Amino acid sequence: MDAVRVALLREVLAGTEWLGATRHFAGTLRGSVVSHGGGLLLVGTPEYEPWHLAAHLVDEAAWSGTPELAPTLVRHDARPTDPAHLAVGPGRLEAARRGETLLVVAPGEPPAALLERVSDARRAGATLLSLGPEAGELPALAHEVLPVPDGSELDLDTVQHLVSAAAGENALPAHRGRRRFRDRLSRLADLLTAPPPTRW
């Protein structure tokens, strides 16, 4: 989903709680990785790996000048022969420490083995964010939750687009006076003329 489609989606969602909720969650994500100097781990479940969100966050990190937003995608079936950005396995969660941020994206309650690793990462000091289930052990563990319950107006993939776009926007410096409008206009022009996102 490109910047124009995100803008159109936001127009459709005007007046709903989704815009505020996704911007708040994105602000928490950005604030966590920037204040701690990066170290964003992104993980899904064995059945649902958020590679698309990873690609969008890499793009937003580049476009917004916030390299801390570029995640390490932790994959359940990673193999040493995979390209480097796809070869990080679940063992990386065991090495998570204070100052790192762990974003878990799941359409439902993750399996017990993943929950155990996530819980260990939180105990080791990592900031835990959850995108997906409204109730269960994962949101109970998380420092910040953006629930996307079954039957909601938006699906999990669409919410991820809104979060990644907002994370990049929130990274813009807040200028005062005439420069602010000019900077916003420049940012929009950059988004509209940027090359298409890299396919993973």
Side-chain angles (χ1 to χ4, degrees), residues 141-184:
L141 283 170
H143 294 97
E144 186 76 29
V145 178
L146 179 56
V148 187
D150 287 337
S152 61
E153 304 90 347
L154 300 181
D155 63 16
L156 187 58
D157 289 336
T158 303
V159 172
Q160 290 175 69
H161 284 293
L162 291 170
V163 167
S164 62
E169 285 178 352
N170 288 340
L172 288 174
H175 295 298
R176 299 180 185 270
R178 289 182 289 161
R179 286 192 61 206
R180 183 172 188 182
F181 175 74
R182 190 176 323 153
D183 288 343
R184 289 171 59 196

Side-chain angles (χ1 to χ4, degrees), residues 46 49 75-79 82 86 89-90:
E49 291 191 331
R75 299 180 64 236
H76 294 273
D77 61 352
R79 297 178 300 272
D82 289 335
L86 298 175

Side-chain angles (χ1 to χ4, degrees), residues 10-29:
R10 285 176 173 164
E11 283 185 31
V12 171
L13 294 173
T16 70
E17 294 180 5
W18 283 109
L19 291 184
T22 53
R23 283 190 167 128
H24 173 78
F25 188 82
T28 301
L29 171 62

Side-chain angles (χ1 to χ4, degrees), residues 23-39:
R23 283 190 167 128
H24 173 78
F25 188 82
T28 301
L29 171 62
R30 185 203 74 249
S32 178
V33 298
V34 170
S35 64
H36 293 116

Side-chain angles (χ1 to χ4, degrees), residues 29-78:
L29 171 62
R30 185 203 74 249
S32 178
V33 298
V34 170
S35 64
H36 293 116
L40 174 58
L41 302 174
L42 175 62
V43 66
T45 66
E47 296 77 28
Y48 185 91
E49 291 191 331
W51 63 268
H52 206 109
L53 176 58
H56 281 291
L57 285 172
V58 166
D59 289 340
E60 289 297 334
W63 293 337
S64 67
T66 311
E68 299 90 348
L69 281 175
T72 297
L73 179 61
V74 177
R75 299 180 64 236
H76 294 273
D77 61 352

